[in-house]
Amino acid sequence: MFTGGLALERGWGRGHPARTLAPLALVALMVLVVLAAPLVGRGGTAFAAAGTPKVSRPNILFILSDDLSTEEMRSMPKVHALLARQGTTFSNSFFNVSLCCPSRTTILRGQYAHNTGVLTNGGANGGFETAHRKGIERSTIATWLQGAGYRTGLFGKYLNGYPNTVPISYVPPGWNDWFSPINGFPYSEFWYTVNENGSFVPYTNKPDDYGTDVYVHKTEDFITQAGKDKVPFFAFVPVYAPHNPAVPAPRHAKLFPKLRAPRTKSFGESDLSDKPKWVRQRRELNKKTIKKVDAIYRQRARSLQALDEGVASLVKTLKANGQLANTYIVFMSDNGYHFGQHSLAVGKGTPYEEDIRVPLIIRGPGVLRDKTRRRLVGNDDLAPTFADLAGVKAPRFVDGRSLVPMLGARIPSDWRRNFLIDHWREVYTSAHPANAARGGALEPSELGGERQSGKGKSDRTPNWHGLRNTRYVYIEYSTGEKELYDLKLDPAELNNISGSASEVLLASLHERLTALRTCRGARCRAIEDERIQTG
């Protein structure tokens, strides 16, 4: 359990020692102290009594990488030393949609994608344009915390397509400090223009303009000023690394000359006969493609070094400012990534573990150190978790749940058993033409040729919806195909048992999936907690 309480603000009553107060004043002081004592919130954190100003609320620093797989965490020793060993790692952390914009919208709102309406990265059913059109930004973790007196700041990538359909000076509601690219090609870490609180600041190809470094330094300025002003902060740092083209900082360009992608059990899977058609039709993972996969993996590891150093720099700044002991640091990726698994070259958007599983680490006051939690958690849990840490009540529309109960020694005996995973294809109309967004907002296509069929024609993944629970992953495709893997017996997902599993198990999985696909709020949590009948 969390044991931290609320301390009286430094300097309170300065110049008025208790011995000079009249007896009646002493009584009043005692009553005030009792009323200001912390109450324990539903997550175990210390909250002030209703109607009493909070004297010392925790800071929250949220660092979000782009397309970072769990395997790639091996190349980030500083994150391991400063965050994982000093906090709690969630080894079964998943994303509802393995694409940037839907996942980021879910993080900001605490909702599954079918409830945000942001299903893809662009077009009529995704991107910033959809989020803005639907009014998603009017109620996010930023507006909740800002309304509670937090100073909020975003430094890096926002939603794909930003700032299409709005003035380029646009700053979304809830953010006191805003620093996000609006033009150029920020995915390359150079040659981009930033909207800094309504002003436009160009960055070129100078070493000091390297994107990850710039976002980190701006965040350090933000948290330092918040410390001087004695206000709690929420700092969101969504960097572009290691997203393709994964350009490393010049100082890291020659590292890891022999590094190659992990040869997991499913790497280059040869027998794809039980896989759906879209997998069977992908280009063969031959020696040439494998060489390219290794080169991409190596380049991504290089691009992650600036982020690894950035995490260390942020921790150092917090410590120097005297803020570290009262700051929660959360590190996560917006989706996973595969490298040759099931003979798919490189990319995301599949229902396989490499794409839906993401790293998640939380460090902070009261958080157990060097601990791993294996319970099922999702990206819709981030917003309610931040709200809980800040002592703010999340809106009723939130689908996720606070992770605060998982951070202390006593964890709930009952927890989520099922999590919804989805994938939609982008929909374009005459009003939403392809590639209409400004250059700085476009997401580059994946490398490696995975998006092409053996005949060189476009062969995109069909719509699919699935269920990831504590033992199985179950997928239903728009083509009528199905996949089912027993992760206890087959963690590499090599044997699709959808054709041989019991009717009771298949019916139970289908029923749960159907219910989750349309759930809202508390109903989602109730469905997630239900057990699957195995027959």
Side-chain angles (χ1 to χ4, degrees), residues 10 16 20 25 66-67 83 102 172 219 298 347 372 445 469 474 494 525:
R10 293 180 181 177
H16 301 279
T20 67
D66 197 341
D67 286 5
L83 301 187
T219 306
R298 187 160 50 247
T372 298
S445 60
N469 64 28
Y474 171 71
L494 298 175
R525 298 188 290 277

Side-chain angles (χ1 to χ4, degrees), residues 219-269:
T219 306
E220 290 174 329
D221 292 343
F222 170 79
I223 62 181
T224 297
Q225 189 59 51
K228 292 179 179 178
D229 295 340
K230 293 181 170 41
V231 295
F233 68 78
F234 172 66
F236 183 19
V237 193
V239 300
Y240 288 83
H243 194 290
N244 149 56
V247 177
R251 61 186 182 277
H252 302 135
K254 296 183 180 180
L255 294 179
F256 316 125
K258 297 182 180 181
L259 186 66
R260 66 177 195 170
R263 278 12 181 205
T264 60
K265 194 172 181 179
S266 61
F267 184 92
E269 181 181 357

Side-chain angles (χ1 to χ4, degrees), residues 484 495-503 505-506:
L484 174 62
N495 183 26
N496 178 8
I497 60 172
S498 63
S500 59
S502 73
E503 292 295 330
L505 174 60
L506 290 171

